[in-house]
Amino acid sequence: MKKHVFKATKMGWDSEKEGIWFDSDQYTAEEAQAEFKPYHGITQRGYSYTGYEYDGQKYHDVTYLGEFEDDEMPGNE
């Protein structure tokens, strides 16, 4: 089964990365990308930024890695 795979950096100082995947039978790449809802915030120093939210988690950035078979999923990078 193929999956669309994304790498996202969680909000916070430690820059923890998380892999998120969507079943290709249920989502196109564009539909999967649209699940990450943009939001606007302001840092403690007053700089504005755009982040992304998915399933209650906020992320600095989200990168689409591609479509992979289950046995070819990318590992931790």
Side-chain angles (χ1 to χ4, degrees), residues 23-61:
D23 190 332
S24 294
D25 289 340
Q26 297 178 354
Y27 295 88
T28 65
E30 293 79 17
E31 290 169 337
Q33 180 77 46
E35 290 294 310
F36 296 95
K37 306 297 184 202
Y39 72 92
H40 300 284
I42 298 178
T43 67
Q44 291 177 343
R45 294 187 178 176
Y47 298 103
S48 65
Y49 68 91
T50 299
Y52 302 91
E53 186 171 0
Y54 170 71
D55 199 28
Q57 178 67 51
K58 292 185 176 182
Y59 300 97
H60 284 285
D61 57 74

